[in-house]
Amino acid sequence: MSDAIVRGFVPQAKARPPRTPETHYLNVEYGVKSWLLTTDHKRIAILYLIAVTALFLLGGAAATMIRLNLMTPRGELLPADTYNKLFSAHGIIMVWFFLVPVVPTVLGNFILPMMVGARDLAFPKLNLISWYIFTIGGIITLWAILAGGVDTGWTFYTPFSTKAARTNVIPTIIGIFISGFSSILTGLNFIATLHRMRAPGMTWTRMPLFLWSSYATSVILLLATPVLAMALILVGVERAWGIGIFDPDLGGDPILFQHLFWFYSHPVVYVMVLPAMGIVSEIITCFSRKPIFGYIFVAWASVGIAVLGFLVWAHHMFVAGQSVYSAQVFSALSYLVAVPSAIKVFNWTATLYKGSISFETPMLFALGFIALFTMGGLTGLMLAALGVDMHVHDTYFIIAHFHFIMVGGTVMAYMAGLHYWWPKMTGRMYSDFLSKLSALIIFVGFILTFLPQFVLGYLGMPRRYHVYPPEFQILNVMSSAGASILAVGYLLPLIYLIWSLFAGKAAGPNPWGATGLEWQTPSPPPPHNFDETPVVTSGPYEYATEEITDVH
Amino acid sequence: MSTNRGLVAHHFEDIEQQRDVEAFGMWMFLATEILIFGAVFTAYTVYRLRYAADFEAASSKLNVLIGSINTIVLLTSSLTMVLAVHATRAGRPKMLMICLLLTIFFGLTFFGFKAVEYYEDYEEALVPGLRFDPGEWAERSPPANAGHVQLMLVFYYIMTGLHAVHMIVGIGLLTWLVYRARRGTLTPARYMAVEVVGLYWHFVDIVWIFLLPLLYLAGTHRASDLHF
């Protein structure tokens, strides 16, 4: 541990080139069996990385087909049925098999135990089991989608999903139901780890902010996912039995399904964005060389978002036929969520202020997150207003809004986190030039794809149609052009990150000069993370408070 | 520490931390379970309030005698479960084995009664989609809405069915404990497995304690209705 952490230390000044340690978690064992039966959280994170990357590419392929079809007003490329199946597949794969799991299971699995100074998660076998559950659920869903498909959209609204749809609804539901248990077990594992596995001296207020946001995320996974499971059981039973509790013929209420569905599916939006916010908090402080501004506010903002997130679900149902009074209450509560979100954005900005900023690749992605998330959040406020929502409900305005949060927010932050911790995960540095280029391409491609959709939606183009009036064509072509740029931006990292495994320079334990326990151990880390259980004596972001002295 | 060698998994500091984490994990799993049942209880309550009279009419046709006997059976099984935990910690393997087997026995007894009940429900045409007579309900005085009655019955099967699935899992876990007890690996130092299964078993019992009033006691029952 001779080259342990040197806080505030600028890596370029290092005299000796960093070396990769002799044994680490990647080479301690070899063979397929050693991977498929591993209980090492780091290896399981890699298993998840492979699974979600494959699923992201499939979801992206569906999006590509959608955008190609929308190049022309009459949608010559695809028949209407196929189009319906494609946007359903895109939504289902991206929500349940990419956005929900991606940050917790890949980056969280890898980094969280190291951040708390533990040798593994609280339940290592459960962690492996949850990967298998995820994979089995994913395979079943993919099979359902490829062998006939499903055309209900990702929301499975009744009575369409229970009575009218003639597609693979039940297999898809079973796949999602199964993968839900993977979410629950991951959340359970994280909460147990954060409560009971922290290293000596790692108090709650010394935890890195990524851990606070992971904690809030895990609580949502634990408490919201079961409600989705039940809602899906009820849809499946009704469809299979031909009789059920959302059945209007019996006096059943389809709106009840929407309540149950959104009770899960709105909080789960915060499952997607909270860990992303945690990543950004880590990166902004590191590359500003400053402690986070208002640590305690940022930490509790995560908890606030998780709690308020449970109380706003019916803002998805403003035009579904609920009472005006409940619509007003849910509108007001939805405004409240903006408060903790804004606290975070303001505090990141204040952290940047007078910081010693360096524009490394993770920082570029993180800054992109702040810009795009802010736009997504502000348009969210517009949608929380009842009058505006009536006007733009079910239009491309909604599509643009949530893609700013999901893609501009979550995916951007995931890319930031992946580039930030990649040297730790693999022990290798990637191409500086190509990675910065891809950050730029993704940002430009994203804006070009989704900004026109705000205009389209405001002008009245409804979502989920495979044709549209000719006057919308120019904006749709802009959006499709942007999507092709975005695709290049996403494929580029796939190439240079894999390339870095073979040809990348050795990263050394702490290439960014970051604080945090995960940087105090070699890259890649040894199987048990730390040779000795670390003892924590200070807060998480002690940048610039110490002089640069110890340069060996 | 030395006495606990081999007990503590590699990633824990000591046995206390390990036991702590195991119980904590089960409590969190039960939190998830509460939300699973909570969702269907909520849905039920919505319709129970909206169609109160029809739900009461349907409830009065359910066999409250079997429901009550099963409640007693399950509560007794909770007692034997708790005694099993006590026996493990006290280091009494024979009592542990007896208690585990009794718990399984009560669990299976529950299923026996439940099977009789489901069969009777079928005989009395209380199975929507399979054997159900809407006319019978319209002719009652006061007449009940056959659609709403079916809604209630669908809930009855989903809720008791989900509970039964949990019982099957519980009996599976108990069988695993019997296997471990036979091999002598449930020692006072390794009592957590029994404790954690116990938590789960009690939870499944408590769910039934809610199902009884929600489903069976919602309607009126006369003394002449009490039969097998």
Side-chain angles (χ1 to χ4, degrees), chain A residues 97-114:
Chain A
F97 297 98
F98 181 73
L99 289 165
V100 169
V102 65
V103 179
T105 60
V106 178
L107 299 176
N109 248 335
F110 198 97
I111 294 301
L112 185 139
M114 296 171 68

Side-chain angles (χ1 to χ4, degrees), chain A residues 482-530:
Chain A
S484 63
I485 297 174
L486 200 52
V488 172
Y490 286 139
L491 290 174
L492 201 54
L494 204 63
I495 296 165
Y496 65 75
L497 287 180
I498 291 173
W499 179 252
S500 77
L501 295 177
F502 304 102
K505 278 186 298 187
N510 191 2
W512 313 118
T515 62
L517 293 179
E518 79 269 27
W519 301 108
Q520 294 194 24
T521 188
S523 314
H528 292 313
N529 297 346
F530 302 98

Side-chain angles (χ1 to χ4, degrees), chain A residues 39 119-124 181 184-185 187-188 191-192 195-198 222-224 226-227 229-230 233-234 237 241 243-247 249-254 256 260 263 528 533, chain B residues 9-13 17 20-22 24-26 28-29 31-33 35-37 39-40 42-44 46-47 50-51 127-130 145-148 150-151 153-155 157-158 162:
Chain A
T39 53
R119 288 192 281 275
D120 207 320
L121 285 171
F123 302 105
F181 284 94
I184 290 172
L185 296 178
L188 189 153
I191 296 176
H195 267 280
R196 298 291 198 256
M197 307 287 286
R198 281 173 284 130
L222 196 69
L223 298 182
V227 177
M230 196 65 232
I233 289 177
L234 296 178
V237 166
W241 198 349
I243 196 160
I245 67 178
F246 305 121
D247 186 349
D249 288 347
L250 305 181
D253 194 344
L256 180 63
L260 291 175
F263 184 84
H528 292 313
T533 303
Chain B
H10 71 90
H11 59 298
F12 291 115
E13 292 295 318
Q17 188 189 27
D20 201 28
V21 164
E22 284 167 355
F24 191 70
M26 182 45 89
M28 276 191 292
F29 182 70
T32 284
E33 290 276 25
L35 266 292
I36 285 204
F37 282 99
V40 71
T42 306
Y44 174 84
V46 168
Y47 294 133
R50 199 182 286 179
Y51 309 127
V127 191
L130 201 62
N145 180 316
H148 303 166
Q150 291 183 70
L151 212 50
L153 291 170
V154 170
F155 270 112
Y157 290 109
I158 291 175
L162 191 65

